[in-house]
Amino acid sequence: RDVLELASHFASLVVILRSLYKQRKQKHRAMSVKTIAVLVAMEAEAAPLVERLGLQKQEKSPFAGPLPAVVFTGLVGDTTVHVCINGPALGFGVDSVGTVPAALTAYQACHVLRPDLLINAGTAGGFAAKGGSVGDVYLATRFCNHDRRIQIPGFDTYGIGAVDAARCPNLTDALGFKTGVVSTGNSLDCPSVDHENLQKKRRQRQGDGSRRRRARRPDVRNSAHRGESDHGHRGR
């Protein structure tokens, strides 16, 4: 079942990539998306996408240093697509997951691959009370952290670190996916303090739509694709 869910989610991502390519060709030449980097945490998550697009593994990593990230590359039309996974967690026998490996891989992908669009793709927990269901596909409108609690004025806002995702209204309308904020952390559970932070950020977002930050790299558009899985937050 989990494998089928992952395959379904990444089949949706194939549709997104092909739609982006088609839109660039027909309507959005000014966007000039010639290189796309897709960041994925786990090898099993990335496998359906790599296979569907016919990407090839770069045997020699393009990234500097001992970073274990693995990169698969190929062409979709005339657009270069790189799928980057964090790679193995040395000494543990599992994939490198969490915000630290993701940040390291994202930095190297932006610095070395120079993508016009960066897509963070994967699965996430969701909230049934907010209309989420297992198997739903979401396009991110914003990113933030829910478990970086720094109770010092100024640092508290830094800890949340909210930034806007790349706007893609035509893509959203064309594919019919849901939209929502992607809040990230380093645990699969959702203790009450994190749940309270998520609700607080939701209320703040509704009350003040003007206080929004753009990503720190203005030359790289950031987006996220999330398929909802059954390993978190369903009941609340």
Side-chain angles (χ1 to χ4, degrees), residues 65-190:
L67 192 70
V70 179
V71 180
F72 298 84
T73 302
L75 289 174
V76 178
D78 60 358
T79 301
T80 300
V81 176
H82 304 283
V83 172
C84 310
I85 61 175
N86 295 335
L90 301 180
F92 293 93
V94 297
D95 296 287
S96 298
V97 299
T99 58
V100 173
L104 291 171
T105 304
Y107 175 83
Q108 285 289 327
C110 289
H111 181 68
V112 176
L113 304 177
R114 309 298 295 179
D116 301 301
L117 178 66
L118 188 70
I119 300 176
N120 182 269
T123 59
F127 294 91
K130 304 302 179 184
S133 299
V134 173
D136 283 349
V137 178
Y138 283 82
L139 294 175
T141 57
R142 206 178 195 200
F143 309 97
C144 59
N145 300 291
H146 59 256
D147 64 355
R148 290 209 306 179
R149 295 178 288 276
I150 310 174
Q151 293 90 346
I152 302 174
F155 287 89
D156 51 357
T157 304
Y158 159 75
I160 294 171
V163 295
D164 289 343
R167 296 185 67 252
C168 49
N170 293 331
L171 184 65
T172 304
D173 292 342
L175 300 179
F177 293 154
K178 295 182 178 181
T179 60
V181 176
V182 173
S183 184
T184 191
N186 283 290
S187 300
L188 284 180
D189 60 352
C190 186

